[in-house]
Amino acid sequence: DLAAGEVLGLVGPNGAGKSTLLKILTRITAPTTGLADLHGRVGSLLEVGTGFHSELTGRENVFLNGAVLGMRRAEITRKFDEIVAFSEVERFLDTPVKRYSSGMYMRLAFAVAAHLDADIMLVDEVLAVGDAAFQRKCLGKMGEVARGGRTVIFVSHNLAAVQSLCDRVLRLDGGRVVDEGDPGRVVSAYLQTSFAGAAERSWPDLRAAPGNDRVRLHRARVRPAAGAPGEPITVRTPFLLEFEYWNLQPGARLNLSLHVYNEHGVLVLNALPLEESVWQGRPLPAGLFRDVCRIPGDLLNDGRYWVELLVVRDESTVSFREPDVIAFDVLDSAELRGAWFGKWPGVIRPVLDWRTELLKEGIPGSPEGEPRSGPPVSTPLLH
């Protein structure tokens, strides 16, 4: 059951049934059994660009696509200027869309669909359009739709957007609901079960190891700087990211690039060997190499992280990419928390230098407000 004005998020791995459920609700696919009871006009953003014709201009496709989505001609005319302004393709409005870039095409298609007036909106992975600025604009538009009192079912792998927009989240797996409730709790539980990585992985067989004819992985692991793999890492613990790899082409100039993501899919940092003094920028002989990156303590917030490994040739070309090569947990620490027991906000959690100074004692105009003799007091609170 979904109440009027409620925003429901659907999360789960590929093949869980999220898109199939939305297609059933839009009557594209008939359910094997059961029924769906919907009250009000249903609008769907399932396949952005459905109904566009490559030979027609952008202007003509606005009317065509709007009609396919169920908008009346008077409604499209009334919203036409708003749609065009949102899409940011005014200059090319009378150009056939076959000459559009893929980004321009998707911008115009999303703009039409996003301005559809409906009581129930079914939204499937449509925020991944255009560049980063336009994605933020799309997310803002979806937030406006949600705040406007429309009932929304939202499917996305952008879990930060799911948590931001939704009142409730369902987690699907194999076509069944396996969890339901508060967005933060459900998303966190989903992420805990969905990571493909581990704290240590190795590939002893060179031929079966991830890579290509230039480079092959041998081992990847994360461990405390003063400990062994598998030992806990807290927010205060310095730790090491270690990677061993075979260089298969003598004379290659290679370096590693590490993308560290948090549990919401946010890129927290990109580590590069900018100050590595032995091999950086030099041609490598064929052989087995080890790169070690030290992450300082008092930097990352608690949570789940995973690492994407990129092998870069000539400091510019990505020769090989291995997503989710390792995953690790950063645990909370009671130290420095004081009386605060809630979730510490923020992507990072550095311990920064902080000082407090007494500039003048007392309250002006009160008998106790007379300053005392002596120098100002400087008290360092945290280093």
Side-chain angles (χ1 to χ4, degrees):
D1 290 329
L2 190 60
E6 189 175 358
V7 182
L8 176 70
L10 300 180
V11 300
N14 291 330
K18 305 183 298 297
S19 297
T20 300
L21 175 58
L22 295 195
K23 288 179 179 179
I24 289 173
L25 296 178
T26 53
R27 300 180 177 86
I28 295 172
T29 300
T32 307
T33 184
L35 56 89
D37 189 13
L38 297 96
H39 301 270
R41 185 183 183 188
V42 178
S44 60
L45 284 73
L46 305 187
E47 301 286 345
V48 173
T50 299
F52 265 39
H53 193 293
S54 61
E55 297 294 336
L56 299 181
T57 66
R59 182 186 304 274
E60 293 165 335
N61 269 299
V62 168
F63 284 89
L64 174 62
N65 192 222
V68 169
L69 293 175
M71 299 172 72
R72 298 179 179 85
R73 182 176 183 84
E75 183 182 354
I76 301 171
T77 302
R78 176 166 45 87
K79 296 186 175 182
F80 183 83
D81 291 342
E82 188 179 350
I83 291 171
V84 173
F86 187 91
S87 68
E88 302 174 1
V89 296
E90 295 96 330
R91 291 174 53 199
F92 309 100
L93 195 58
D94 294 307
T95 301
V97 297
K98 67 180 181 181
R99 306 190 191 281
Y100 284 18
S101 69
S102 58
M104 292 166 58
Y105 184 95
M106 298 299 281
R107 279 170 178 255
L108 187 58
F110 180 89
V112 175
H115 288 81
L116 173 65
D117 280 337
D119 303 301
I120 302 168
M121 291 290 293
L122 308 178
V123 185
D124 188 3
E125 208 57 88
V126 297
L127 297 181
V129 298
D131 53 25
F134 192 72
Q135 288 182 30
R136 287 194 295 271
K137 192 173 183 179
C138 292
L139 185 59
K141 183 63 177 179
M142 290 310 306
E144 181 183 319
V145 168
R147 290 189 297 271
R150 292 188 237 178
T151 302
V152 180
I153 300 180
F154 181 49
V155 172
S156 179
H157 289 289
N158 184 339
L159 299 180
V162 170
Q163 292 187 85
S164 173
L165 294 174
C166 299
D167 306 311
R168 181 162 54 104
V169 170
L170 296 184
R171 177 160 70 97
L172 300 180
D173 197 355
R176 297 181 178 276
V177 176
V178 296
D179 198 3
E180 176 184 359
D182 175 73
R185 184 193 63 77
V186 174
V187 167
S188 179
Y190 164 56
L191 290 167
Q192 291 293 326
T193 63
S194 63
F195 282 95
E200 182 171 13
R201 302 174 70 188
S202 62
W203 300 271
D205 184 354
L206 178 63
R207 293 169 297 179
N212 50 37
D213 58 353
R214 294 188 178 94
V215 64
R216 295 273 180 184
L217 295 183
H218 179 63
R219 177 177 287 114
R221 68 179 184 177
V222 57
R223 65 178 180 87
E231 292 187 9
I233 297 172
T234 75
V235 292
R236 308 225 67 190
T237 307
F239 63 93
L240 306 177
L241 300 174
E242 300 181 354
F243 298 91
E244 296 178 10
Y245 58 97
W246 291 96
N247 175 39
L248 305 178
Q249 289 192 336
R253 288 180 168 85
L254 301 179
N255 65 269
L256 302 188
S257 176
L258 310 179
H259 291 177
V260 180
Y261 293 87
N262 70 4
E263 60 189 18
H264 302 299
V266 176
L267 179 59
V268 177
L269 59 89
N270 178 20
L272 298 166
L274 300 177
E275 296 186 354
E276 198 282 325
S277 59
V278 180
W279 288 106
Q280 175 68 4
R282 295 179 54 193
L284 307 182
L288 181 63
F289 287 82
R290 174 190 292 159
D291 278 33
V292 180
C293 175
R294 186 181 189 275
I295 306 294
D298 297 321
L299 175 65
L300 298 180
N301 205 348
D302 63 301
R304 184 80 164 175
Y305 296 84
W306 79 91
V307 181
E308 179 183 36
L309 172 67
L310 286 73
V311 179
V312 182
R313 175 169 50 88
D314 298 328
E315 300 183 349
S316 60
T317 304
V318 176
S319 290
F320 172 67
R321 180 192 303 264
E322 181 68 12
D324 302 352
V325 62
I326 51 175
F328 60 94
D329 290 296
V330 175
L331 307 177
D332 203 353
S333 171
E335 191 177 359
L336 300 180
R337 264 190 168 270
W340 170 247
F341 295 101
K343 171 65 178 175
W344 200 287
V347 175
I348 60 174
R349 189 167 161 179
V351 176
L352 306 174
D353 185 68
W354 190 303
R355 295 180 182 274
T356 300
E357 295 183 23
L358 175 62
L359 300 180
K360 187 175 182 180
E361 189 174 357
I363 301 174
S366 66
E368 295 80 13
E370 298 299 326
R372 297 177 182 177
S373 60
V377 179
S378 178
T379 306
L381 295 183
L382 199 60
H383 294 281

